[in-house]
Amino acid sequence: MGCLALETAQPVNLNASFQGARLRAFASQDRQRHTVRVPIPLGTAEGSDTLFLALQTADGTETTFRAEVRVVGGGYGEERLELQPALLPLADPSLDASEIEQLRTLTSGFSERWYLAEGMMTFPSTTLVSAPYGIRRAFNDGPADRFHIGVDFIGAPGTPFSTSGPGVVVMVETLPIRGQTTVIDHGWGVYSVYAHQNDRVVQPGMEVLAGQIIGTIGASGRTTGSHLHWEVWVDGVPVHPRQWVDG
Ligand SMILES: [Zn+2]
């Protein structure tokens, strides 16, 4: 995810877009300091592209700017997973697509309350990372055509994990691929997703505090073993979760 900060000599309303998508802009109270978030989806081609900015003053005068944004590959690599025969039907790409679409719709929302006062998150588990964000995955003898859009933490079934930050529970559901899944809304278009759970601990509508236990690690859904799969979505795009912990 990229971020663009700009200051203006007078109050303005700012609109921004990149690669055909409208970007969210946050203004200070005096509307002279603005931050634009640029979440870049995995699979975006490397290279430069144009970010469009339109600044409008109180009298309706509009000024447009262009900025070049360079997209650089993460060098994430790929891996091949062996699914048990019973789970092979879950390797169907259309299942990934429909689940992604469900999460995209949910995480395209915007709540006015900002829960991440410090601007950062913490890891939801202190166990080891078994798979990083960004790798391309193949299942059994299929093509490496799926991106791993989260971070995996190892853990025996029933091991508790915590929310990566304060927020509101907006979804607790069993999905075909992610299995038992919890989604936390941290406000301002930032969400975290916890998948393959063994037990549900929270309910939609509950507010959760930093470090609160919100579920236990498991092997529900499409997994090769018990682990926690953690995603962070910004404005409907899954982004690198470590950015929200390490900065
Ligand atoms: Zn995962």
Side-chain angles (χ1 to χ4, degrees):
M1 191 183 96
C3 222
L4 182 81
L6 67 158
E7 283 188 46
T8 51
Q10 54 179 305
V12 295
N13 285 325
L14 173 69
N15 284 307
S17 64
F18 182 65
Q19 297 188 329
R22 173 94 178 261
L23 301 174
R24 284 215 170 107
F26 297 88
S28 59
Q29 213 150 27
D30 62 8
R31 306 200 73 79
Q32 289 180 237
R33 289 191 309 280
H34 302 263
T35 307
V36 177
R37 297 194 302 220
V38 193
I40 308 286
L42 275 168
T44 302
E46 282 190 303
S48 290
D49 216 327
T50 307
L51 188 147
F52 295 94
L53 295 167
L55 277 58
Q56 199 174 46
T57 56
D59 65 6
T61 310
E62 188 171 275
T63 312
T64 57
F65 292 96
R66 291 160 175 240
E68 288 305 303
V69 172
R70 198 157 67 90
V71 177
V72 180
Y76 297 125
E78 49 179 79
E79 70 174 356
R80 184 168 297 278
L81 297 179
E82 286 300 320
L83 287 175
Q84 288 175 4
L87 291 178
L88 259 181
L90 294 176
D92 178 350
S94 71
L95 289 176
D96 288 77
S98 67
E99 225 169 273
I100 292 267
E101 205 43 50
Q102 184 180 354
L103 289 170
R104 189 187 314 287
T105 302
L106 179 66
T107 62
S108 295
F110 186 86
S111 310
E112 289 290 341
R113 183 167 168 195
W114 176 233
Y115 285 88
L116 300 174
E118 308 299 322
M120 299 299 280
M121 296 188 189
T122 52
F123 288 124
S125 174
T126 53
T127 60
L128 291 174
V129 169
S130 54
Y133 170 86
I135 43 176
R136 263 180 208 273
R137 276 181 168 170
F139 296 104
N140 299 33
D141 52 2
D145 61 353
R146 246 61 63 84
F147 283 111
H148 188 234
I149 62 171
V151 174
D152 290 348
F153 298 87
I154 60 168
T159 307
F161 67 85
S162 58
T163 177
S164 54
V168 179
V169 181
V170 287
M171 189 182 107
V172 182
E173 264 183 46
T174 302
L175 304 174
I177 291 167
R178 284 168 182 73
Q180 289 202 49
T181 300
T182 300
V183 181
I184 306 289
D185 178 0
H186 302 288
W188 291 8
V190 178
Y191 297 79
S192 53
V193 176
Y194 310 81
H196 308 311
Q197 287 174 228
N198 197 57
D199 302 291
R200 302 164 182 220
V201 173
V202 290
Q203 303 298 326
M206 279 175 67
E207 272 197 30
V208 294
L209 302 171
Q212 186 173 330
I213 303 295
I214 58 165
T216 67
I217 297 176
S220 56
R222 187 182 67 197
T223 68
T224 55
S226 180
H227 72 281
L228 170 67
H229 170 92
W230 171 54
E231 299 168 6
V232 175
W233 290 64
V234 176
D235 303 334
V237 177
V239 299
H240 202 320
R242 288 197 79 109
Q243 260 190 314
W244 287 86
V245 175
D246 300 335

